[in-house]
């Protein structure tokens, strides 16, 4: 349930408890292992209360995804491909660095790949009008598809590596490295 601000304080507390508990569970286990029963036990609510606000766990997941995707879309909504790929990479890292552990788990873990792909599709659809944007109009669909997957998978791979390395590389250095790799290729570093 998306809060409007006009809810009773008890409703707000219950919704926040459900969301916070769910995000903690995301950090501990795969989505398929999360049950409404365990979520309710941890949030100290009964199942009827959960179902008052969410028809199913998937609805709560969608709301959490939206809470991560919407602010990012707002930050990059005016960016145009291919001109702003470097800016988009920078914004992704800066935005991601401000997020919590649940975001990192969804973004990095193989078990959350389907969830992550839905978030990426949402961002691309909102920012470019298509899940598969045309990067260079002079290229055919196959080539554009390869370029799109190359840059977005490369960025995710670098981000995942950065998280696994406990962010020891500075944010500015990882952005510079990723932009160099995506925009100029390996030759940039040889």
């Amino acid at each position: 349930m998306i809060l409007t601000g006009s809810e009773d304080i008890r409703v707000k507390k219950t919704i926040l408890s459900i969301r916070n508990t769910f995000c903690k569970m995301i950090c501990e286990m795969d989505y398929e292992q999360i049950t409404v029963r365990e979520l309710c036990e941890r949030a100290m609510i009964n199942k009827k209360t959960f179902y008052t606000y969410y028809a199913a766990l998937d609805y709560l997941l969608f709301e959490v995804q939206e809470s991560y995707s919407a602010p990012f879309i707002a930050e990059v909504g005016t960016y145009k491909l291919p001109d702003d790929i470097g800016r988009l990479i920078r914004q992704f890292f800066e935005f991601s660095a401000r997020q919590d552990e649940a975001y990192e788990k969804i973004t990095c873990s193989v078990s959350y790949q389907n969830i992550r792909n839905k978030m990426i599709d949402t961002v691309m659809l909102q920012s470019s009008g298509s899940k598969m944007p045309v990067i260079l109009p002079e290229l055919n669909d196959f080539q554009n598809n390869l370029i799109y997957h190359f840059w977005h998978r490369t960025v995710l791979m670098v981000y995942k590596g950065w998280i696994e390395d406990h962010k020891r590389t500075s944010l500015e250095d990882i952005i510079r490295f990723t932009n160099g790799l995506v925009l100029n290729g390996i030759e940039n570093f040889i």
Side-chain angles (χ1 to χ4, degrees):
M1 175 177 170
I2 297 174
L3 295 172
T4 63
S6 61
E7 295 85 5
D8 179 90
I9 189 77
R10 291 170 294 183
V11 171
K12 289 178 187 177
K13 285 182 178 181
T14 301
I15 296 297
L16 291 175
S17 176
I18 291 169
R19 284 186 196 166
N20 291 339
T21 301
F22 182 64
C23 286
K24 287 177 186 172
M25 292 175 79
I26 285 174
C27 295
E28 297 171 17
M29 60 186 79
D30 294 340
Y31 177 67
E32 296 78 24
Q33 297 172 313
I34 298 173
T35 64
V36 172
R37 183 186 58 72
E38 186 175 354
L39 174 66
C40 291
E41 286 174 9
R42 290 183 182 204
M44 294 187 288
I45 61 168
N46 63 46
K47 287 171 89 173
K48 183 179 178 184
T49 302
F50 176 85
Y51 288 115
T52 298
Y53 302 110
Y54 301 100
L57 206 52
D58 287 348
Y59 290 89
L60 176 57
L61 175 63
F62 175 78
E63 194 173 290
V64 169
Q65 289 174 286
E66 186 70 19
S67 74
Y68 291 127
S69 301
F72 184 69
I73 291 167
E75 290 181 20
V76 301
T78 60
Y79 291 12
K80 300 291 180 223
L81 298 175
D83 299 336
D84 293 325
I85 288 177
R87 287 179 62 209
L88 188 58
I89 290 169
R90 170 173 290 286
Q91 201 64 37
F92 168 76
F93 274 96
E94 289 176 350
F95 176 84
S96 296
R98 296 188 306 264
Q99 303 310 306
D100 61 11
E101 186 181 350
Y103 173 89
E104 290 177 3
K105 176 90 181 258
I106 290 170
T107 305
C108 296
S109 176
V110 173
S111 64
Y112 283 91
Q113 183 173 350
N114 290 336
I115 297 165
R116 177 177 57 251
N117 288 343
K118 287 178 187 175
M119 289 171 66
I120 292 168
D121 288 348
T122 300
V123 169
M124 293 313 299
L125 189 59
Q126 292 293 320
S127 61
S128 71
S130 170
K131 287 182 184 177
M132 194 62 59
V134 173
I135 309 278
L136 298 169
E138 63 272 12
L139 300 178
N140 64 40
D141 289 345
F142 174 73
Q143 293 166 326
N144 269 295
N145 188 21
L146 287 175
I147 290 172
Y148 166 74
H149 284 292
F150 166 76
W151 76 264
H152 109 257
R153 288 181 180 165
T154 301
V155 170
L156 285 175
M157 179 196 64
V158 173
Y159 177 74
K160 181 181 177 184
W162 186 56
I163 296 300
E164 289 171 353
D165 193 45
H166 308 287
K167 302 179 186 176
R168 286 191 286 212
T169 303
S170 74
L171 180 60
E172 194 57 42
D173 285 347
I174 203 69
I175 291 169
R176 191 175 14 264
F177 175 81
T178 308
N179 271 328
L181 187 59
V182 170
L183 297 175
N184 302 314
I186 295 171
E187 194 169 299
N188 185 54
F189 300 99
I190 296 176

